[in-house]
Amino acid sequence: MLCSEDVSFKPKEHPAKDGSLVDPTATRRYSLVWSYEYLNLISAGKTEFFECLKIKPRLNEGGPRNSIKCQNGIYFITIDLTKFTFIRANLDPQNLANVEIAHGSCKLIGS
């Protein structure tokens, strides 16, 4: 899949004078290669490896259906396999400057 982020941001440590709570960050483009339990994110000649599971909603949740969640240390990606949309998050409790959220969409290639 070829993926592009539509929005990417980091939360600010303190609200700005204008009331804003987030700082935009540069959006990224990358390739995702998914093989059931594993996902490779390829960007700028580097590959990041993730382990994946199908998302199984609890009884009291409405969704998501037909989606996967992938994790690599403090990095997370969830992908809707029907719409090919995704959310990417960096969640580092030891370094709050390394907290970031992005979302976007993917296109299938080679099929």
Side-chain angles (χ1 to χ4, degrees), residues 28-103:
R28 297 170 46 187
R29 291 182 173 200
Y30 34 80
S31 297
L32 296 177
V33 179
W34 176 55
S35 178
Y36 299 100
E37 293 181 13
Y38 301 101
L39 178 85
N40 296 336
L41 184 151
I42 304 164
S43 177
K46 295 181 182 178
T47 302
E48 299 174 34
F49 302 97
F50 292 80
E51 293 182 40
C52 302
L53 295 169
K54 274 193 84 84
I55 295 176
K56 296 178 184 174
R58 307 285 188 262
L59 292 176
N60 60 347
E61 293 178 341
R65 305 255 186 251
N66 198 29
S67 298
I68 59 171
K69 57 184 174 183
C70 304
Q71 179 180 354
N72 172 0
I74 59 170
Y75 305 101
F76 300 85
I77 297 177
T78 58
I79 304 169
D80 181 317
L81 298 173
T82 303
K83 300 181 207 171
F84 296 105
T85 55
F86 70 90
I87 297 175
R88 178 186 58 79
N90 300 348
L91 303 173
D92 187 346
Q94 296 178 347
N95 180 0
L96 298 180
N98 193 23
V99 173
E100 182 178 2
I101 299 172
H103 65 78

